[in-house]
Amino acid sequence: MIRFVLVVGVLAIFLLLSTLPLLIGEKLIWKNEPKKQQEYCLKVVQAMFRSVLRLAGVRITVKGYENIPDEPVLYVGNHSSYFDILVGYVTVPGLTGFVAKKEMERVRTLAAWMRGVNCLFLDRKDIRAGLQTIREGVEKVKGGVSVWIFPEGTRNMGEDLTQLLPFKEGSLKIAEKAGCPVVPVAITGTADVWERHLPWMRPSDVTVEYGEPIYIKELPPAERKHVGAYVQSMIEDMLKREQKERRSEQREFTGVQERA
């Protein structure tokens, strides 16, 4: 419970004390330099998220950095925890905006920071508004900003987190229309921080693996038609491989303890 109180307290203080300077900076300091504003916001948010992750006892291992192209991409990840967003933001190599649900805009202080780091707000109940969010995502990519989306649409609270919820095919339209590569991302261990034992927060080893980029136009016609299912299967394979490695390491560790 202490970890939970510390994390919530730090986030609340940050939002209360930092939002006004951010808004002032937008109006005065970076009025004509949006990229510098975005870079500053990202650095601040990354520093805050790193502090939160340390308080929560999260240890992150990143795999596959070499797979991320030197250009804006669409990151597509599995989603089992609120901490997925934190570990995503502290590991991406450049400007990146997450696609969040429209309801997040109601928290004005939080929404101000989210806009500062290029987040997009998706109304899942309004098709026309959803299409507008896709267009905004395409413009972000063309403007040099990567976009991160969770195509499951909500957190996967199932017991077996290697079995993902069906990906929404429309969620990958940003990559298709912008012509950017898709980078599959497999996140393991975030649900063990909080969601699996609410309201307690517990230390966890989290692995973020960036897979090989996918170029939709280069896929065979059958896979291009159902690119969401194709990317989903890739991420599931990555998650299963990570799970297998963890089990093997645990068996080795147990064997060493027994011999000692």
Short mmCIF file of all heavy atoms in Angstrom, two decimals, residues 76-80 84 124 149-157 161-168 171 232 235-236 239:
data_model
loop_
_atom_site.label_atom_id
_atom_site.label_comp_id
_atom_site.label_asym_id
_atom_site.label_seq_id
_atom_site.Cartn_x
_atom_site.Cartn_y
_atom_site.Cartn_z
N VAL A 76 2.76 -0.93 -32.21
CA VAL A 76 1.54 -1.69 -31.91
C VAL A 76 1.86 -2.65 -30.77
O VAL A 76 2.71 -3.54 -30.94
CB VAL A 76 1.04 -2.46 -33.15
CG1 VAL A 76 -0.17 -3.30 -32.80
CG2 VAL A 76 0.71 -1.49 -34.28
N GLY A 77 1.23 -2.45 -29.63
CA GLY A 77 1.57 -3.26 -28.47
C GLY A 77 0.39 -3.96 -27.81
O GLY A 77 -0.77 -3.58 -28.02
N ASN A 78 0.69 -4.96 -27.01
CA ASN A 78 -0.32 -5.58 -26.17
C ASN A 78 -0.57 -4.70 -24.95
O ASN A 78 0.27 -3.87 -24.59
CB ASN A 78 0.12 -6.99 -25.73
CG ASN A 78 1.40 -6.96 -24.92
OD1 ASN A 78 2.45 -6.52 -25.40
ND2 ASN A 78 1.35 -7.45 -23.69
N HIS A 79 -1.73 -4.88 -24.31
CA HIS A 79 -2.11 -3.95 -23.25
C HIS A 79 -2.75 -4.71 -22.08
O HIS A 79 -3.87 -5.20 -22.19
CB HIS A 79 -3.10 -2.94 -23.81
CG HIS A 79 -3.37 -1.78 -22.91
ND1 HIS A 79 -2.47 -1.30 -21.98
CD2 HIS A 79 -4.47 -0.97 -22.81
CE1 HIS A 79 -2.99 -0.27 -21.35
NE2 HIS A 79 -4.20 -0.04 -21.83
N SER A 80 -2.02 -4.80 -20.97
CA SER A 80 -2.55 -5.49 -19.79
C SER A 80 -2.48 -4.63 -18.54
O SER A 80 -2.92 -5.05 -17.48
CB SER A 80 -1.76 -6.79 -19.54
OG SER A 80 -0.40 -6.51 -19.30
N ASP A 84 1.85 -0.05 -18.91
CA ASP A 84 2.33 -0.21 -20.29
C ASP A 84 2.70 1.15 -20.88
O ASP A 84 3.67 1.28 -21.63
CB ASP A 84 1.26 -0.86 -21.17
CG ASP A 84 0.94 -2.27 -20.75
OD1 ASP A 84 1.83 -2.94 -20.19
OD2 ASP A 84 -0.21 -2.72 -20.96
N ARG A 124 -14.32 5.96 -29.12
CA ARG A 124 -14.63 4.63 -29.65
C ARG A 124 -16.10 4.45 -30.00
O ARG A 124 -16.49 3.47 -30.62
CB ARG A 124 -14.20 3.57 -28.64
CG ARG A 124 -12.69 3.46 -28.47
CD ARG A 124 -12.29 2.54 -27.35
NE ARG A 124 -12.63 3.09 -26.03
CZ ARG A 124 -12.30 2.54 -24.88
NH1 ARG A 124 -11.64 1.40 -24.86
NH2 ARG A 124 -12.63 3.11 -23.74
N ILE A 149 -0.20 2.60 -30.43
CA ILE A 149 -1.59 2.23 -30.24
C ILE A 149 -1.70 0.83 -29.65
O ILE A 149 -0.84 -0.03 -29.88
CB ILE A 149 -2.36 2.31 -31.58
CG1 ILE A 149 -3.88 2.25 -31.34
CG2 ILE A 149 -1.91 1.23 -32.57
CD1 ILE A 149 -4.68 2.69 -32.55
N PHE A 150 -2.75 0.61 -28.86
CA PHE A 150 -3.07 -0.70 -28.30
C PHE A 150 -4.32 -1.21 -29.00
O PHE A 150 -5.44 -0.84 -28.63
CB PHE A 150 -3.32 -0.61 -26.79
CG PHE A 150 -2.13 -0.13 -25.99
CD1 PHE A 150 -2.17 1.08 -25.33
CD2 PHE A 150 -0.98 -0.91 -25.89
CE1 PHE A 150 -1.09 1.52 -24.58
CE2 PHE A 150 0.11 -0.47 -25.14
CZ PHE A 150 0.05 0.74 -24.49
N PRO A 151 -4.18 -2.06 -30.03
CA PRO A 151 -5.33 -2.46 -30.84
C PRO A 151 -6.34 -3.36 -30.13
O PRO A 151 -7.40 -3.63 -30.69
CB PRO A 151 -4.69 -3.21 -32.02
CG PRO A 151 -3.28 -2.75 -32.04
CD PRO A 151 -2.93 -2.55 -30.61
N GLU A 152 -6.01 -3.85 -28.92
CA GLU A 152 -7.01 -4.63 -28.18
C GLU A 152 -8.16 -3.73 -27.73
O GLU A 152 -9.25 -4.22 -27.43
CB GLU A 152 -6.36 -5.31 -26.97
CG GLU A 152 -5.39 -6.41 -27.34
CD GLU A 152 -4.66 -6.96 -26.14
OE1 GLU A 152 -3.67 -6.30 -25.70
OE2 GLU A 152 -5.04 -8.03 -25.63
N GLY A 153 -7.90 -2.44 -27.64
CA GLY A 153 -8.96 -1.49 -27.31
C GLY A 153 -9.16 -1.26 -25.83
O GLY A 153 -9.72 -0.26 -25.42
N THR A 154 -8.72 -2.19 -25.01
CA THR A 154 -8.82 -2.07 -23.56
C THR A 154 -7.78 -2.99 -22.94
O THR A 154 -7.14 -3.77 -23.64
CB THR A 154 -10.24 -2.45 -23.08
OG1 THR A 154 -10.37 -2.17 -21.69
CG2 THR A 154 -10.53 -3.94 -23.32
N ARG A 155 -7.63 -2.90 -21.62
CA ARG A 155 -6.65 -3.77 -20.96
C ARG A 155 -7.13 -5.22 -20.98
O ARG A 155 -8.30 -5.51 -20.73
CB ARG A 155 -6.43 -3.32 -19.51
CG ARG A 155 -5.63 -2.04 -19.38
CD ARG A 155 -5.55 -1.63 -17.92
NE ARG A 155 -6.87 -1.32 -17.41
CZ ARG A 155 -7.22 -1.39 -16.12
NH1 ARG A 155 -6.34 -1.79 -15.22
NH2 ARG A 155 -8.44 -1.08 -15.75
N ASN A 156 -6.21 -6.10 -21.29
CA ASN A 156 -6.49 -7.54 -21.28
C ASN A 156 -6.30 -8.06 -19.87
O ASN A 156 -5.18 -8.16 -19.37
CB ASN A 156 -5.54 -8.25 -22.25
CG ASN A 156 -5.75 -9.75 -22.29
OD1 ASN A 156 -6.66 -10.29 -21.66
ND2 ASN A 156 -4.92 -10.45 -23.05
N MET A 157 -7.40 -8.41 -19.20
CA MET A 157 -7.35 -8.84 -17.81
C MET A 157 -7.41 -10.36 -17.67
O MET A 157 -7.63 -10.89 -16.58
CB MET A 157 -8.50 -8.20 -17.03
CG MET A 157 -8.54 -6.67 -17.12
SD MET A 157 -7.02 -5.88 -16.55
CE MET A 157 -7.16 -6.16 -14.79
N LEU A 161 -1.89 -13.95 -20.39
CA LEU A 161 -1.68 -12.71 -21.11
C LEU A 161 -0.99 -12.90 -22.45
O LEU A 161 -0.74 -11.94 -23.18
CB LEU A 161 -0.89 -11.74 -20.23
CG LEU A 161 -1.59 -11.33 -18.94
CD1 LEU A 161 -0.74 -10.34 -18.16
CD2 LEU A 161 -2.96 -10.73 -19.22
N THR A 162 -0.65 -14.16 -22.79
CA THR A 162 -0.13 -14.42 -24.13
C THR A 162 -1.27 -14.62 -25.13
O THR A 162 -1.03 -14.69 -26.34
CB THR A 162 0.77 -15.67 -24.16
OG1 THR A 162 -0.01 -16.83 -23.85
CG2 THR A 162 1.90 -15.54 -23.13
N GLN A 163 -2.49 -14.71 -24.62
CA GLN A 163 -3.68 -14.81 -25.47
C GLN A 163 -4.33 -13.43 -25.52
O GLN A 163 -5.03 -13.03 -24.59
CB GLN A 163 -4.65 -15.85 -24.92
CG GLN A 163 -4.10 -17.27 -24.90
CD GLN A 163 -3.82 -17.79 -26.30
OE1 GLN A 163 -4.62 -17.60 -27.22
NE2 GLN A 163 -2.68 -18.44 -26.47
N LEU A 164 -4.07 -12.71 -26.58
CA LEU A 164 -4.54 -11.33 -26.66
C LEU A 164 -6.00 -11.24 -27.09
O LEU A 164 -6.55 -12.15 -27.71
CB LEU A 164 -3.68 -10.56 -27.66
CG LEU A 164 -2.16 -10.59 -27.41
CD1 LEU A 164 -1.45 -9.71 -28.43
CD2 LEU A 164 -1.83 -10.14 -26.00
N LEU A 165 -6.62 -10.13 -26.73
CA LEU A 165 -7.95 -9.84 -27.24
C LEU A 165 -7.84 -9.55 -28.73
O LEU A 165 -6.80 -9.09 -29.20
CB LEU A 165 -8.54 -8.62 -26.51
CG LEU A 165 -8.65 -8.74 -24.98
CD1 LEU A 165 -9.12 -7.40 -24.39
CD2 LEU A 165 -9.60 -9.85 -24.59
N PRO A 166 -8.89 -9.82 -29.50
CA PRO A 166 -8.80 -9.59 -30.95
C PRO A 166 -8.43 -8.15 -31.28
O PRO A 166 -8.98 -7.20 -30.71
CB PRO A 166 -10.23 -9.91 -31.43
CG PRO A 166 -10.79 -10.83 -30.39
CD PRO A 166 -10.19 -10.37 -29.09
N PHE A 167 -7.46 -8.00 -32.17
CA PHE A 167 -7.05 -6.67 -32.59
C PHE A 167 -8.11 -6.04 -33.49
O PHE A 167 -8.67 -6.71 -34.36
CB PHE A 167 -5.73 -6.73 -33.36
CG PHE A 167 -4.51 -6.77 -32.48
CD1 PHE A 167 -4.58 -7.15 -31.15
CD2 PHE A 167 -3.27 -6.41 -32.98
CE1 PHE A 167 -3.46 -7.18 -30.34
CE2 PHE A 167 -2.13 -6.42 -32.18
CZ PHE A 167 -2.22 -6.81 -30.86
N LYS A 168 -8.35 -4.77 -33.30
CA LYS A 168 -9.28 -4.04 -34.16
C LYS A 168 -8.53 -3.64 -35.44
O LYS A 168 -7.55 -2.90 -35.39
CB LYS A 168 -9.81 -2.81 -33.42
CG LYS A 168 -10.54 -3.19 -32.12
CD LYS A 168 -11.09 -1.97 -31.42
CE LYS A 168 -11.71 -2.35 -30.07
NZ LYS A 168 -12.76 -3.34 -30.17
N SER A 171 -7.43 -0.08 -36.41
CA SER A 171 -6.43 0.62 -35.61
C SER A 171 -5.09 0.76 -36.35
O SER A 171 -4.28 1.60 -36.00
CB SER A 171 -6.20 -0.12 -34.28
OG SER A 171 -5.76 -1.45 -34.51
N GLN A 232 -1.04 -9.26 -34.52
CA GLN A 232 -1.40 -9.89 -33.24
C GLN A 232 -0.68 -11.21 -33.06
O GLN A 232 -0.14 -11.50 -31.98
CB GLN A 232 -2.91 -10.11 -33.17
CG GLN A 232 -3.35 -10.83 -31.89
CD GLN A 232 -4.85 -11.00 -31.79
OE1 GLN A 232 -5.60 -10.30 -32.47
NE2 GLN A 232 -5.30 -11.91 -30.95
N ILE A 235 2.95 -10.65 -32.08
CA ILE A 235 3.13 -10.24 -30.69
C ILE A 235 2.88 -11.41 -29.75
O ILE A 235 3.61 -11.59 -28.76
CB ILE A 235 2.20 -9.06 -30.36
CG1 ILE A 235 2.60 -7.84 -31.19
CG2 ILE A 235 2.25 -8.72 -28.87
CD1 ILE A 235 1.67 -6.65 -31.05
N GLU A 236 1.91 -12.23 -30.05
CA GLU A 236 1.65 -13.41 -29.22
C GLU A 236 2.85 -14.35 -29.22
O GLU A 236 3.22 -14.90 -28.17
CB GLU A 236 0.39 -14.13 -29.71
CG GLU A 236 -0.90 -13.40 -29.37
CD GLU A 236 -2.14 -14.10 -29.89
OE1 GLU A 236 -2.01 -14.92 -30.83
OE2 GLU A 236 -3.23 -13.84 -29.38
N LEU A 239 5.46 -12.83 -26.96
CA LEU A 239 5.10 -12.99 -25.55
C LEU A 239 5.35 -14.43 -25.08
O LEU A 239 5.84 -14.65 -23.97
CB LEU A 239 3.62 -12.63 -25.35
CG LEU A 239 3.26 -11.15 -25.50
CD1 LEU A 239 1.75 -10.98 -25.55
CD2 LEU A 239 3.86 -10.33 -24.36
#
